[in-house]
Amino acid sequence: MFNSTEREEKAYLSSINELIEDKYVKISSSLNGSSQDIAEMKKEFWENIADMDGAEKAANREQIHSVISSSENTADIKRDLEKLRNSPYFARIDYKDDSGRLPVYIGIKGFRDEETKKSLISDWRAPISSVFYDCEIGPASFNTPDGVNEGHLELKRQYKISSGEMQYMIESNISIDDEVLQKELSSTSDEKMKNIVATIQKEQNEVIRNENAGVLIIQGAAGSGKTSIALHRIAFMLYRYKNTISSSDMLVLSPNKVFGNYISNVLPELGEDNIQEIGFEEIAVDVLGKKVKFQSFAEQVSSLLEENDPEERGRIEYKSTVGFLDMLDDYLSNLERDYFKAQDVKLGGVVLPATKITAYMAGLPEMPLKKKMDKTARDMARRMKDFFEKKHREWKTEYAAEMKRKIEAMFQFRSTMEVYENFYTFIGRPELFRLLPKRMLEYSDVFPMAYTKIAFESIADYGYVRHLLVDEMQDYTPVQYAVIGKLFRCKMTILGDSNQAVNPYSASSIEKISSVFPESECIRLCKSYRSTIEISDFAQAISTNPDIVPVERHGELPVVYGCETEKIQTERIRKIIDGFRTGSYKNLGIICRTQRMAEELYGQLKGEDSVSLLDFTSTEFTDGIIITSAHMSKGLEFDQVLIPNVSDHEYHTVMDQKMLYVACTRAMHKLDLTYVGEKTRWIL
C-alpha cells in the first residue's frame, strides 16, 4: 500500500511541502516582477500621454489593465499557497474503481505538480472528496457531473498538520474520527468562526452539497454548526459553479454587524472572497425610503422585556401569523376592485368617459395599481392629444398633468401609508394599527407596510443576487419572508433554530416559513457540537428541545450562585472574572437579560482590563471579557459564560425563558450564573 506507515506519511508530507514551497517562491518572485512592470508601464504611459492619439491611449490602458488582472490572479494563487504551506491536507482516502486504486489527499485547496500536472491534493469540495465525508470502508460512490461513480473505499485516514509538521495521524474506519472531532470541540474559541472542513459530518455534508433546492430551509439546534455549514455551502457553490457565479453575486441577510464580523474569516479561510451582507432594516429603508421612520427589532425586543405590555404583545402576535399574510394578500389583490372608481374626465371641453378608462385598465396586464394608474394617465392623455390635433384644437401642456391628477383622485387613498392603515379597517381591527410618537411605525408594521408598498407601487428588486443566505430565520415573520420572496428572485439558504427566538411572540417555525416558500426543501440538524453534556443538559432543563442530540463531551457542571445582596453578587462576578483571567480560556461572555442591564454592569466593570461592551452599534467581536445582552449574543459562542441576575424578578415570562436558554447555549466549556433573592422559576 502507498505510504502505509506514519514514517512514510511524514516523508511524503516533506516532499509535498518542498513542491509547495518551490511554487510559492516562484509565485512570489513573479508577483514582485509584475509590480515593477506595472509601475514602469504606468510611468511610461503618463510621460508619453501627450504624444499619444486616442487609439494608442486605449491600447496602453488595456495593456496595463491586463497586467494588473494577471497580477491579481497570481496574488490569489499566492494566498492559496500560504494556506497550504501551513497545512497541505487533513485527510486521505484510498478509492478503488474500474480504473484502479487511487490514493486521494484532501485539503482546503487543490494542488498539482507543476511538471507532471498530476493532482497531489484534492479540494475538499471536489466530487471525490465527498467519499471522505459520506462513506464507510467498503462499497462507496460519489456524484460527478457525468453521473455516479461506484467503487470501493479501502482506506480512510486523518491528519493534524500545523506549520507543515504532522502532529498526529489517525485511521478512521467509519465516520470522521470521534477523536479528531473531540480534539477540535475541546479547543478554545477564537475571535472569529473557523472553517470546519476537517470535521464536517455526513449530515452536514448533505446540506453543503445540496445543489437542487431552490429554497433550502435548515432547522439547526443550538451548536449544530448551521451557520458554519451554510457558509461552507456558499464556498461549495462558488467552487462548483465557478465559471458562472462569483462572491459578488451572493448576499448574507445578517442579524447585526458583529455577527457579520464574527463569520468574516470562514470564506477567506476557504479561499473565497467574503460576500456582501445586509440587514432586514436596511431592506426596509430601501423599500420604504429614508423619510419613513420606524422602530428597530432591537428596540421592539427591549420594549417587550422592559414594559411587557400585553396590548403590544397582542399586536405583534397577530401580525406574525400566516393568516395575517393571507388577509393582507386578499386586501391588496382587490385594491382596484374595491377602491378605484373610474369617473368621466373633462379636459378643454372634451369628455373622456369613465367606461373607456375602466375598459383600458381591464385590458392591461397584471401590475401594481399605482403603475397601472400612471400608465393609464399617460396613454389617455396621449390619445386625447391625438384627438385634439385631429380636430385642430389646442392641446395645453398642463392637460397631461391634469389627467394624471384626476385619475389618481379616482383611487380612494393618497399614499401607501393610507392604503396600509385602511387594511385594519378592512379586517375590522383598526385598533391593531398604532403609530409611535413622531409618527414612527412599530416594528411589527414595518414589513407589512413594505409588502403593501411593493404590491401597490412596485419596487426595484435585488436582481443581481444569485443566492441569498438568511440567518436567524426564527426571528422573521411570514410577512418578512413574503417581502424577501418579492425582492429576491434567486436561490436561498434559510437557517435558524425556532428554540432560540428572542421574541417568541413573532417567531417563525420551519412550518411557517415553508408555507411562504411551498417548493422549499427542509432539513433538520439535531446534533449539537458546541456545549459539553453538562451545559447542554442544564439548558435543556430550561427549555426542552426533544430533537437535540449533544455530542458526548464532558466538562464542569454549571454553577448557580445565590447571593444575599447586590454587593455580594458583584463580588462573586469579580471572582469569576479573576478565575477566567488566570485560566486558559480566551473569552468570557457576560450575558445580561437586557441591553440596559449590560450597560449598567459594564459601567461597574469598565475599569477592568480587556472588558468591552457589545451592543447593536458594535461592529467587531474580540477576545477577552465581553458584556452583552442575550439578544445580541445570538449566533456567537464563548469558552466561558456568566449570566448575572437570574432571579425570578428578572426571568419570569416566556420571553425571559427564551432569553435564558439563548444565553446558556452560548457556552462551550464553562457556565456560571448568579442571582439575588429568589432564583428564576426556569432553573430547577
Side-chain angles (χ1 to χ4, degrees):
M1 184 180 74
F2 180 76
N3 291 346
S4 60
T5 67
E6 185 169 344
R7 177 179 293 181
E8 290 172 332
E9 284 282 21
K10 287 184 176 180
Y12 180 75
L13 174 60
S14 295
S15 68
I16 293 293
N17 285 339
E18 287 178 9
L19 290 172
I20 291 171
E21 191 62 29
D22 286 347
K23 187 169 183 179
Y24 182 80
V25 171
K26 289 176 183 177
I27 286 290
S28 298
S29 176
S30 172
L31 201 56
N32 291 335
S34 295
S35 298
Q36 293 174 4
D37 291 344
I38 292 168
E40 289 173 4
M41 290 170 70
K42 286 183 175 180
K43 180 182 178 184
E44 184 178 350
F45 175 77
W46 289 112
E47 285 176 349
N48 297 290
I49 191 170
D51 300 324
M52 296 181 187
D53 59 25
E56 289 173 320
K57 290 177 184 177
N60 273 269
R61 286 194 179 99
E62 181 63 30
Q63 184 181 13
I64 293 171
H65 177 76
S66 177
V67 174
I68 291 173
S69 179
S70 176
S71 179
E72 288 174 346
N73 290 335
T74 303
D76 289 340
I77 295 171
K78 182 181 178 182
R79 280 193 292 271
D80 291 343
L81 289 170
E82 285 172 348
K83 296 181 180 71
L84 294 177
R85 289 172 86 201
N86 178 59
S87 181
Y89 47 82
F90 57 83
R92 168 188 167 183
I93 57 171
D94 283 12
Y95 183 78
K96 185 178 181 180
D97 59 12
D98 293 341
S99 63
R101 178 168 176 153
L102 178 67
V104 179
Y105 287 84
I106 302 170
I108 203 164
K109 297 294 289 187
F111 182 73
R112 290 178 178 273
D113 186 306
E114 286 289 287
E115 294 183 3
T116 66
K117 305 302 179 186
K118 178 184 176 182
S119 175
L120 299 175
I121 302 171
S122 286
D123 191 296
W124 68 276
R125 298 166 290 187
I128 195 169
S129 300
S130 67
V131 173
F132 170 68
Y133 297 112
D134 293 341
C135 301
E136 304 175 8
I137 299 297
S141 64
F142 63 94
N143 293 321
T144 75
D146 299 324
V148 178
N149 180 294
E150 294 186 349
H152 196 274
L153 179 59
E154 302 197 340
L155 176 74
K156 194 172 183 180
R157 186 174 281 174
Q158 291 174 266
Y159 313 90
K160 177 67 174 181
I161 300 172
S162 182
S163 301
E165 296 289 330
M166 187 181 295
Q167 297 180 2
Y168 58 79
M169 178 182 92
I170 296 173
E171 299 294 326
S172 180
N173 294 325
I174 301 176
S175 60
I176 293 175
D177 197 271
D178 191 53
E179 185 176 345
V180 175
L181 183 60
Q182 289 288 348
K183 286 175 183 288
E184 292 298 319
L185 296 179
S186 298
S187 63
T188 55
S189 176
D190 285 312
E191 287 186 8
K192 297 181 181 178
M193 186 179 286
K194 301 176 290 188
N195 81 76
I196 58 168
V197 292
T199 57
I200 291 170
Q201 303 294 292
K202 182 177 180 178
E203 74 275 10
Q204 296 172 329
N205 194 46
E206 290 173 0
V207 174
I208 291 170
R209 294 175 188 261
N210 185 315
E211 299 180 46
N212 299 319
V215 176
L216 182 64
I217 305 175
I218 306 167
Q219 160 60 40
S224 61
K226 55 188 172 293
T227 300
S228 183
I229 291 306
L231 292 169
H232 285 68
R233 173 170 161 77
I234 292 293
F236 171 76
M237 290 180 181
L238 290 170
Y239 174 86
R240 176 71 176 83
Y241 301 103
K242 54 191 167 190
N243 295 324
T244 58
I245 194 168
S246 70
S247 57
S248 61
D249 301 321
M250 297 185 164
L251 189 66
V252 176
L253 210 167
S254 176
N256 55 64
K257 295 298 182 185
V258 170
F259 179 79
N261 172 258
Y262 180 61
I263 66 173
S264 63
N265 265 10
V266 176
L267 286 171
E269 277 189 356
L270 296 171
E272 303 294 349
D273 292 332
N274 259 322
I275 58 180
Q276 301 174 70
E277 61 178 290
I278 194 170
F280 251 116
E281 284 154 34
E282 292 173 75
I283 291 174
V285 172
D286 285 348
V287 174
L288 298 176
K290 294 181 179 179
K291 290 184 179 179
V292 177
K293 304 303 179 187
F294 55 84
Q295 180 188 43
S296 69
F297 182 53
E299 289 167 341
Q300 181 197 69
V301 170
S302 293
S303 174
L304 289 168
L305 287 169
E306 301 283 3
E307 306 297 332
N308 195 25
D309 177 8
E311 291 187 3
E312 182 184 15
R313 291 202 313 266
R315 292 193 296 273
I316 292 169
E317 285 182 302
Y318 191 89
K319 298 169 191 180
S320 301
T321 63
V322 175
F324 175 82
L325 175 59
D326 291 341
M327 288 187 289
L328 186 56
D329 270 327
D330 179 53
Y331 170 71
L332 294 172
S333 65
N334 292 305
L335 284 178
E336 183 178 349
R337 183 196 69 187
D338 295 341
Y339 301 103
F340 182 87
K341 306 299 179 188
Q343 298 175 4
D344 295 346
V345 175
K346 187 174 183 180
L347 294 175
V350 177
V351 175
L352 174 67
T355 53
K356 285 197 173 184
I357 296 173
T358 301
Y360 178 81
M361 291 183 68
L364 289 175
E366 187 175 335
M367 65 179 73
L369 181 55
K370 191 172 189 307
K371 285 186 71 174
K372 185 180 277 192
M373 291 190 296
D374 290 343
K375 180 173 175 54
T376 300
R378 288 194 304 272
D379 289 356
M380 292 298 102
R382 188 180 68 251
R383 292 183 183 187
M384 287 195 76
K385 181 181 179 183
D386 291 345
F387 176 82
F388 271 57
E389 289 173 350
K390 285 179 182 178
K391 298 297 183 179
H392 304 289
R393 300 182 64 169
E394 180 186 7
W395 174 262
K396 296 182 179 179
T397 55
E398 61 265 27
Y399 285 168
E402 189 175 346
M403 175 71 78
K404 187 173 188 298
R405 284 194 300 272
K406 289 191 174 186
I407 285 183
E408 286 177 345
M410 298 173 195
F411 185 55
Q412 185 173 327
F413 310 110
R414 303 278 75 80
S415 66
T416 299
M417 177 68 88
E418 288 185 20
V419 173
Y420 177 61
E421 187 171 356
N422 180 70
F423 165 66
Y424 292 97
T425 300
F426 169 79
I427 62 174
R429 299 293 303 275
E431 75 281 2
L432 290 175
F433 182 73
R434 180 178 299 181
L435 289 171
L436 297 171
K438 299 183 179 179
R439 294 190 60 77
M440 179 182 288
L441 287 172
E442 287 190 323
Y443 187 75
S444 60
D445 284 310
V446 174
F447 289 94
M449 172 78 164
Y451 191 69
T452 299
K453 185 169 184 178
I454 292 168
F456 175 55
E457 296 185 32
S458 181
I459 297 293
D461 61 19
Y462 296 79
Y464 72 93
V465 178
R466 303 277 299 281
H467 196 101
L468 179 69
L469 174 62
V470 182
D471 206 350
E472 302 296 347
M473 69 180 191
Q474 69 279 359
D475 289 333
Y476 313 129
T477 66
V479 176
Q480 286 177 274
Y481 284 108
V483 169
I484 290 301
K486 296 286 187 184
L487 295 178
F488 295 90
R489 313 289 178 140
C490 62
K491 288 191 171 186
M492 301 182 198
T493 302
I494 301 172
L495 60 141
D497 178 15
S498 56
N499 290 283
Q500 294 185 67
V502 294
N503 181 357
Y505 312 115
S506 65
S508 281
S509 63
I510 197 169
E511 291 77 19
K512 271 189 182 181
I513 301 167
S514 59
S515 72
V516 180
F517 301 109
E519 302 299 317
S520 60
E521 183 176 337
C522 302
I523 294 177
R524 296 179 186 271
L525 296 176
C526 299
K527 193 172 286 187
S528 177
Y529 302 92
R530 177 185 295 140
S531 304
T532 62
I533 289 286
E534 290 75 14
I535 294 171
S536 181
D537 288 347
F538 186 86
Q540 281 285 89
I542 292 169
S543 180
T544 303
N545 176 1
D547 297 325
I548 198 167
V549 181
V551 168
E552 193 78 17
R553 181 172 69 86
H554 289 279
E556 300 177 47
L557 285 168
V559 181
V560 183
Y561 296 96
C563 306
E564 292 183 4
T565 65
E566 293 291 343
K567 182 180 179 182
I568 293 174
Q569 179 175 234
T570 302
E571 290 173 356
R572 172 56 63 184
I573 290 170
R574 290 187 183 279
K575 285 181 181 178
I576 292 171
I577 290 173
D578 290 341
F580 163 76
R581 291 189 192 283
T582 58
S584 59
Y585 296 142
K586 291 183 179 179
N587 51 50
L588 165 65
I590 304 179
I591 304 177
C592 301
R593 175 174 165 269
T594 67
Q595 194 62 44
R596 176 185 59 79
M597 294 170 72
E599 289 167 1
E600 288 175 356
L601 183 59
Y602 176 67
Q604 298 173 31
L605 300 176
K606 66 180 178 181
E608 303 271 350
D609 290 338
S610 304
V611 176
S612 57
L613 176 70
L614 210 60
D615 61 23
F616 282 90
T617 66
S618 303
T619 58
E620 291 187 3
F621 179 84
T622 59
D623 278 340
I625 300 166
I626 306 291
I627 303 176
T628 190
S629 65
H631 182 188
M632 189 68 204
S633 73
K634 279 199 320 140
L636 306 178
E637 62 183 28
F638 302 88
D639 292 328
Q640 180 177 348
V641 165
L642 165 61
I643 309 172
N645 298 306
V646 292
S647 67
D648 202 58
H649 175 72
E650 295 294 344
Y651 289 90
H652 58 276
T653 68
V654 172
M655 189 170 184
D656 297 332
Q657 179 190 23
K658 293 293 184 184
M659 289 294 186
L660 187 56
Y661 177 81
V662 168
C664 290
T665 54
R666 300 310 93 201
M668 294 175 64
H669 308 298
K670 185 174 174 57
L671 174 63
D672 296 300
L673 306 94
T674 65
Y675 69 93
V676 176
E678 187 178 346
K679 181 176 61 177
T680 174
R681 66 195 67 182
W682 304 120
I683 298 176
L684 301 179

